[in-house]
């Protein structure tokens, strides 16, 4: 784990000291930098009405001071509407760390060797829901529109930002099929890298077991070609299901026959030690006596 | 699932048509746009040596034409070293979709209503390894340096881009403790939103079960305060372990007593239907006869 890894807070979120930097030549730089626990400096606010030339000079002087103080990195927040300053910073070695909506965050690694700055988000998360009718052994499946091959699969889609896994499954199932359902368990996780639909990033795809609350299909004609309740045993056998769908159909068959507690990961909420937030954890059920 | 969701390919990766646009006034726009299956247009290459005023005019004309053709969105790739053009695009409603290293991708949603463009990556993924010595019931634990509370936990850290789950666990365990180990199974998944260490994004944290290959601890003094082999029964009871560590210690105790096949998610590789890539899937073991 690098000093910037898991649990450590990027500099511009956890401020230890805050100071206007003073250049070695005695003139006061206008950058107000915040130093974090890892020796990085964050510039949150760029001076107003600064020319490109003045910004360039200020940045050069500031970086020089920070280097002399042993700082390891600089984070620079640049509003989209002042992007020409990013161009100036690039000439001094800054690159994009990330950008969202109307702001870019640029970074400069100042120590020798490879940057140890933490990466920005690397994964998109998608969730599918296997809605199983326990009374007749049928499961809800769809075929996507706009596909070269028409393969049966479980309805699902990408998680919205900050959406819990089970909530994505229930929402996507309803949006695609009109079926209301309730979260029961997590069944599987799949990771895939260099995903073309994820801007070349990684894709984490989870399948949940859901219990139906309604049964009448009213599927989204815009997204789906077909939608039906299919026998699990049939879904496990047919050739026109995606490999992961066939696989999970077999797993669900085991659950139907021997009890879902043989295949389920249960969800519980636990407190986070350092942030005070609550999170959801999924694992096999632990017997009461342990 | 929106038409841009899971499995669909952003416009600048899947080109259906490619054309220089012709403005309604008959002059040839210099933007070469590529149209994707969802009606989005991607501008991959900005004309060289264009002034800001000329770029502004070109962009306005191009957007006007694309709008008249019923295109729903525009993707604009802007090199960091030409960021002043991003500033110009912002004046016409473009915002950052994402930015990596030396390039930003801006987008403009042109249809009525909320944007249906897919989000960029929303999660960071971290993996911890619970290295269990089955012969004596001990597990490898560490205490991080630089923490307010010194809590016992499993060694781990963030996945590198495109790194598989088990590989991250094995790598991080070695880097932090000097112990060589082998991947056995996935035990749990935790999701946490608005994570301060993830630039406010979501954090997915997985714990794997590993088997030790070496036993002599040589821990990283830079990252860890303490490192030891601890009785699982003790780890499950003590108060100075993080809640998730206590929880997984209990789960591992069940595994030790009743067999790890009661707590494990097994990993297998399957082919992806549409991309031809191989991916890893984790779920409960399916009996041979199914």
């Amino acid at each position: 784990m690098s000093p910037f890894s898991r649990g450590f807070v990027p500099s511009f979120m956890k401020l230890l000291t805050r100071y206007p930097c003073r250049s070695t030549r005695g003139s006061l730089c206008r950058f107000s930098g915040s130093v974090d626990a890892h020796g990085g400096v964050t510039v949150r606010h760029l001076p107003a009405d600064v020319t490109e030339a003045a910004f360039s000079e200020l940045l050069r002087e500031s970086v020089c001071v920070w280097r002399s103080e042993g700082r390891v990195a600089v984070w620079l927040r640049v509003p989209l509407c002042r992007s020409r300053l990013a161009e100036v910073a690039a000439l001094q070695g800054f690159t994009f760390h990330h950008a969202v909506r109307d702001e870019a965050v640029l970074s400069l690694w100042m120590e020798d060797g490879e940057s140890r700055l933490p990466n920005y988000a690397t994964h998109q998360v998608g969730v599918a829901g296997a809605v199983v009718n326990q009374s007749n052994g049928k499961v809800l499946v769809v075929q996507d529109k706009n596909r070269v091959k028409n393969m049966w699969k479980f309805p699902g889609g990408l998680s919205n930002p900050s959406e819990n896994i089970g909530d994505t499954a229930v929402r996507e199932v309803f949006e695609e099929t009109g079926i209301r359902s309730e979260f029961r368990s997590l069944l599987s996780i799949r990771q895939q890298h260099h995903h073309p639909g994820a801007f070349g990033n990684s894709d984490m795809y989870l399948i949940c077991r859901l219990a139906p609350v309604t049964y009448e299909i009213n599927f989204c004609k815009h997204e789906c070609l077909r939608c039906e309740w299919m026998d699990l045993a049939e879904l496990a056998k047919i050739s026109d299901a995606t490999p992961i769908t066939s696989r999970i159909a077999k797993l669900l068959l085991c659950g139907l026959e021997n009890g879902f507690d043989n295949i389920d990961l249960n969800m519980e909420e636990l407190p986070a030690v350092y942030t005070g937030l609550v999170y959801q954890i999924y694992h096999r059920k632990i017997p009461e006596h342990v």
Side-chain angles (χ1 to χ4, degrees), chain A:
Chain A
M1 193 160 88
S2 90
F4 285 96
S5 297
R6 166 159 304 285
F8 286 98
V9 175
S11 55
F12 52 78
M13 292 171 191
K14 184 180 184 180
L15 316 179
L16 296 188
T17 64
R18 189 177 174 86
Y19 60 91
C21 80
R22 193 169 291 277
S23 89
T24 46
R25 276 167 278 174
S27 66
L28 192 69
C29 298
R30 271 175 258 174
F31 285 138
S32 179
S34 312
V35 182
D36 60 45
H38 313 293
V41 182
T42 297
V43 179
R44 290 161 158 275
H45 303 291
L46 305 182
D49 301 324
V50 70
T51 65
E52 286 175 63
F55 176 80
S56 177
E57 177 64 13
L58 277 171
L59 187 61
R60 200 178 305 278
E61 288 204 9
S62 303
V63 166
C64 182
V65 174
W66 290 325
R67 242 185 240 280
S68 73
E69 291 172 347
R71 307 301 174 207
V72 300
V74 182
W75 300 89
L76 194 63
R77 304 185 76 138
V78 182
L80 172 57
C81 63
R82 304 185 69 191
S83 286
R84 66 191 62 228
L85 301 183
E87 214 175 292
V88 173
L91 292 173
Q92 296 182 33
F94 282 80
T95 53
F96 282 124
H97 184 269
H98 65 276
V100 182
R101 286 179 295 276
D102 57 0
E103 187 180 67
V105 176
L106 281 76
S107 62
L108 176 71
W109 179 248
M110 298 197 291
E111 282 213 320
D112 290 339
E114 214 178 322
S115 164
R116 294 198 311 273
L117 294 178
N119 288 312
Y120 192 65
T122 51
H123 284 65
Q124 71 176 18
V125 169
V127 189
V131 188
V132 180
N133 185 342
Q134 214 169 335
S135 68
N136 62 6
K138 286 183 187 286
V139 65
L140 188 66
V141 284
V142 296
Q143 285 186 0
D144 280 347
K145 260 183 110 167
N146 302 320
R147 286 296 202 182
V148 182
K149 298 181 193 173
N150 293 325
M151 305 286 267
W152 289 106
K153 59 189 273 291
F154 302 119
L158 291 179
S159 273
N160 290 330
S162 308
E163 189 176 42
N164 282 327
I165 293 166
D167 295 339
T168 305
V170 167
R171 176 181 57 74
E172 285 285 347
V173 164
F174 179 71
E175 286 175 11
E176 290 192 22
T177 69
I179 296 292
R180 296 276 184 194
S181 63
E182 283 173 356
F183 174 80
R184 285 292 178 267
S185 72
L186 179 63
L187 295 174
S188 76
I189 303 165
R190 183 209 67 181
Q191 182 168 246
Q192 198 173 347
H193 301 303
H194 310 293
H195 197 277
F199 303 94
N201 287 316
S202 297
D203 178 89
M204 190 82 89
Y205 179 66
L206 304 106
I207 302 183
C208 296
R209 182 170 70 81
L210 308 178
V213 173
T214 64
Y215 299 86
E216 196 173 330
I217 291 171
N218 177 17
F219 72 91
C220 173
K221 309 294 181 294
H222 188 64
E223 297 185 41
C224 304
L225 194 66
R226 294 183 187 83
C227 175
E228 61 181 63
W229 290 101
M230 190 183 285
D231 269 328
L232 263 175
E234 187 189 348
L235 183 62
K237 274 188 302 195
I238 57 174
S239 61
D240 56 343
T242 67
I244 198 168
T245 305
S246 306
R247 173 65 60 106
I248 299 305
K250 288 193 185 101
L251 187 72
L252 284 164
L253 268 181
C254 296
L256 258 186
E257 286 165 16
N258 312 313
F260 288 126
D261 56 340
N262 287 289
I263 63 168
D264 287 346
L265 295 197
N266 296 100
M267 188 273 282
E268 279 183 78
E269 297 202 328
L270 284 182
V273 172
Y274 300 105
T275 61
L277 298 171
V278 165
Y279 57 75
Q280 298 192 324
I281 181 170
Y282 301 80
H283 57 71
R284 293 279 297 152
K285 195 172 184 178
I286 301 174
E288 297 286 337
H289 69 273
V290 179

